Amino acid sequence: MFKSLGTFGMVLLMVTALVMVGLGFIVGPDHPLPWIMLIIVIAIPFIHNKTVSNRYLVWKDEYSVGIEEMDNDHKKLLHLINQLQTAVHYYTGKEFEEKALDELVDYTKTHFKNEEKLMADNGYADLEAHKIQHKQFIDKVNHFVEQYKTNSDVTMIDTLKFLKEWLINHINGTDKEYGKVLNEKGIH
Ligand code: FEO
């Protein structure tokens, strides 16, 4: 089942096109309209799948901070965000959606703790500034969780947009900075 307007619109368009194909063939197969509509019916799922797949995050080697344990954490966070994306796009049920959100929040906290310990253990100079970024992120996510209790669909869409942008920007920016410094100390 689906619940996003985009998917609903795609199904509606397909049904309309199929009806027009049927009507077109009643008028006569010599007419170009049924053939054009048939091509549209075949093309719609491909276009839709491409649009949906663009909403999912894919790990790229360029996201690596050069420390395997942290890369694995980041990969798992991407996976959990994608899980939440699935919950938003399809009718997976409230329980799956809440579980996906809880898992993401919990693992994010675990990752931040691991990362901050790694930085502290290795005397990273910008640890406090990095911790502030983590805290601001958690505060923002907590705010979304509170909103989710009153308007789940809208909040999930906003939450996902924020999570994707923040995580990729944070990994590519601040995280890579500590990665470089720790790599120079022989941490990989
Ligand atoms: Fe990987 Fe600073 O979070």
Side-chain angles (χ1 to χ4, degrees):
M1 281 295 285
F2 52 84
K3 65 176 180 178
S4 76
L5 280 177
T7 307
F8 179 72
M10 187 268 299
V11 172
L12 193 64
L13 191 62
M14 277 193 75
V15 170
T16 308
L18 274 170
V19 169
M20 290 190 74
V21 169
L23 289 175
F25 279 120
I26 289 170
V27 172
D30 293 341
H31 198 282
L33 182 67
W35 297 104
I36 292 169
M37 295 315 291
L38 194 60
I39 290 167
I40 292 174
V41 169
I42 294 167
I44 288 169
F46 288 104
I47 295 166
H48 181 257
N49 286 345
K50 181 75 185 156
T51 309
V52 170
S53 68
N54 284 344
R55 293 179 193 158
Y56 286 85
L57 293 174
V58 178
W59 174 263
K60 297 176 186 168
D61 288 343
E62 68 193 56
Y63 297 157
S64 174
V65 297
I67 298 168
E68 194 180 355
E69 188 190 348
M70 294 301 109
D71 284 348
N72 288 338
D73 274 7
H74 292 150
K75 284 176 191 172
K76 178 150 184 181
L77 285 173
L78 259 62
H79 164 75
L80 292 173
I81 289 175
N82 286 339
Q83 186 172 266
L84 195 56
Q85 177 68 64
T86 299
V88 168
H89 192 73
Y90 298 98
Y91 190 79
T92 52
K94 188 86 175 161
E95 198 180 322
F96 179 87
E97 198 168 275
E98 285 178 358
K99 190 169 170 278
L101 184 60
D102 285 348
E103 264 190 79
L104 178 59
V105 172
D106 287 349
Y107 198 76
T108 303
K109 287 176 183 168
T110 301
H111 165 62
F112 286 171
K113 212 170 141 189
N114 291 342
E115 199 172 76
E116 287 167 13
K117 183 174 185 313
L118 180 75
M119 287 187 268
D121 288 349
N122 291 282
Y124 182 59
D126 288 333
L127 171 62
E128 289 310 314
H130 201 122
K131 279 168 86 170
I132 288 170
Q133 284 199 13
H134 286 170
K135 187 183 177 310
Q136 286 171 340
F137 175 80
I138 293 293
D139 288 347
K140 181 89 177 171
V141 171
N142 284 339
H143 174 69
F144 279 126
V145 171
E146 281 306 308
Q147 280 189 319
Y148 174 73
K149 290 173 188 167
T150 54
N151 191 352
S152 57
D153 282 349
V154 173
T155 306
M156 275 295 189
I157 291 165
D158 290 345
T159 305
L160 267 170
K161 188 173 180 298
F162 170 73
L163 290 171
K164 287 180 198 171
E165 287 174 5
W166 191 93
L167 186 67
I168 298 301
N169 286 337
H170 183 75
I171 291 172
N172 274 331
T174 327
D175 279 1
K176 277 190 180 173
E177 285 170 18
Y178 81 72
K180 200 171 163 217
V181 173
L182 268 52
N183 284 167
E184 283 166 4
K185 294 184 175 189
I187 315 289
H188 293 281

